Amino acid sequence: MDYLQTADFWIGLVKIVWINIILSGDNAVVIAMAARSLPPAQQNKAVLMGSGAAVVLRIALAVVAAKLLALPYLQILGGALLLWIGVQLLGDEDEDDGEEKQYGSMFAAVRTILLADLVMSLDNVIAVAAAAQGSMVLLVLGLAISIPLVIFGSTLMIKLMERFPIIIMLGAALIGWVGGETIVSDVALSGVLAADPWLHYAGAAAGAVFVVAYGKWQRQRAASAVQ
């Protein structure tokens, strides 16, 4: 326990918590959008389960994240998965407008949270692992402290989405942005990105537009089929 008395330990812990504050915004949006499809009584439980499982997943990823990011086409696959998740979450928005809302299952919500967090955390955990400087105790402790931050952010986002529905579309666009950004960041496209750095933002913007446009088209098609 002597490391608890060193300044390096506490400086590293502060760094990890601060990194998680900065990087947890998009994760909170995903958790909130997945949990809002549940009955109100189950939303807090889904947030707790999803946030806790996501942090455990990040700890496991910290060991292999750098190697995974070096594999070609993996981020393209992960980014495509995020785009699909964004479209599906946006498609749930029309359920809120009916007289009887059809609620989703707890398992489906937590599964969506974990899938999205798996992709979004690959590059995030590298920053956290770097701040930990090889200390697994520091890594685990720092990520554990970040759980309340993610839970608070997710709970706040759920309330905002209920009051301001436009946030749902903005949240889906954010997921699409991260998905597009993930795709163009793949190591297989590093040469193209180095020659044209603007493609990084173009790919991210294209992802956001795709999720919003395709998600809304799916909703309109479903509404037409019902009529």
Side-chain angles (χ1 to χ4, degrees):
M1 293 291 182
D2 292 339
Y3 55 82
L4 293 177
Q5 301 176 9
T6 64
D8 289 342
F9 175 84
W10 293 106
I11 292 174
L13 181 60
V14 171
K15 287 181 180 178
I16 289 177
V17 173
W18 183 245
I19 288 171
N20 275 281
I21 291 174
I22 296 173
L23 300 179
S24 293
D26 48 4
N27 299 85
V29 170
V30 170
I31 293 173
M33 292 192 68
R36 73 182 180 86
S37 64
L38 297 172
Q42 294 184 11
Q43 288 180 352
N44 289 337
K45 186 176 181 180
V47 169
L48 288 172
M49 291 177 61
S51 302
V55 170
V56 172
L57 182 63
R58 289 188 187 192
I59 294 173
L61 280 174
V63 181
V64 296
K67 294 182 179 179
L68 288 177
L69 287 176
L71 296 176
Y73 308 113
L74 181 63
Q75 285 187 268
I76 293 177
L77 179 62
L81 177 61
L82 273 182
L83 295 180
W84 177 79
I85 290 174
V87 169
Q88 298 303 310
L89 290 176
L90 183 58
D92 292 338
E93 182 185 1
D94 60 339
E95 296 176 357
D96 297 337
D97 300 330
E99 294 181 1
E100 296 184 5
K101 177 179 176 179
Q102 299 297 314
Y103 291 113
S105 68
M106 174 75 70
F107 173 78
V110 174
R111 180 189 60 193
T112 299
I113 292 169
L114 287 179
L115 283 175
D117 199 79
L118 174 64
V119 178
M120 300 167 81
S121 296
L122 277 175
D123 52 350
N124 293 1
V125 294
I126 290 180
V128 174
Q133 296 182 337
S135 172
M136 185 56 65
V137 174
L138 188 57
L139 177 63
V140 173
L141 183 60
L143 290 175
I145 292 175
S146 71
I147 294 179
L149 301 175
V150 178
I151 292 175
F152 173 77
S154 304
T155 305
L156 177 62
M157 286 303 302
I158 291 175
K159 294 179 179 179
L160 290 175
M161 287 176 182
E162 291 175 351
R163 186 164 184 178
F164 306 104
I166 187 64
I167 294 179
I168 297 172
M169 185 184 302
L170 295 176
L174 175 60
I175 296 172
W177 178 279
V178 176
E181 192 175 42
T182 302
I183 290 174
V184 298
S185 298
D186 190 272
V187 65
L189 302 176
S190 58
V192 177
L193 202 62
D196 298 296
W198 60 270
L199 288 175
H200 177 88
Y201 298 101
V209 171
F210 170 79
V211 167
V212 173
Y214 189 68
K216 282 193 164 296
W217 176 77
Q218 274 197 328
R219 290 176 52 202
Q220 291 175 354
R221 186 178 66 170
S224 299
V226 173
Q227 293 176 355

